[in-house]
Amino acid sequence: MPLFEIAILETPTKKEAEEGKAEKLVFGPKPVIGKDSQSAALAAVMENPEAFTGIDKSRMQVLVRPFAQG
């Protein structure tokens, strides 16, 4: 299975953005093995629920970077 690097950001609310606050890193970057990028991202979230306690899931931005094979 391919290797991916996963990072998850929490985007600011509209009010926070107006105050100049930027995204906040809440997870990673962390290496994850998965069948594809979507399953790797899902695995990262499901295997680390403690990292997302108290975070508004609708403001999460999941970033996935595949590692080259070959």
Side-chain angles (χ1 to χ4, degrees):
M1 279 203 236
L3 178 65
F4 298 89
E5 188 173 44
I6 309 293
I8 299 177
L9 304 175
E10 181 181 25
T11 58
T13 62
K14 185 176 180 179
K15 182 179 178 182
E16 290 172 339
E18 289 172 354
E19 294 171 355
K21 293 188 179 178
E23 294 89 359
K24 181 172 78 172
L25 180 66
V26 294
F27 179 81
K30 195 169 199 174
V32 178
I33 295 174
K35 184 175 70 174
D36 56 27
S37 61
Q38 188 173 8
S39 64
L42 186 58
V45 172
M46 293 182 68
E47 292 172 5
N48 300 284
E50 68 283 350
F52 310 105
T53 304
I55 296 173
D56 182 355
K57 306 295 188 275
S58 67
R59 293 180 25 222
M60 286 176 33
Q61 181 179 8
V62 181
L63 307 172
V64 181
R65 179 172 63 174
F67 281 85
Q69 295 180 353

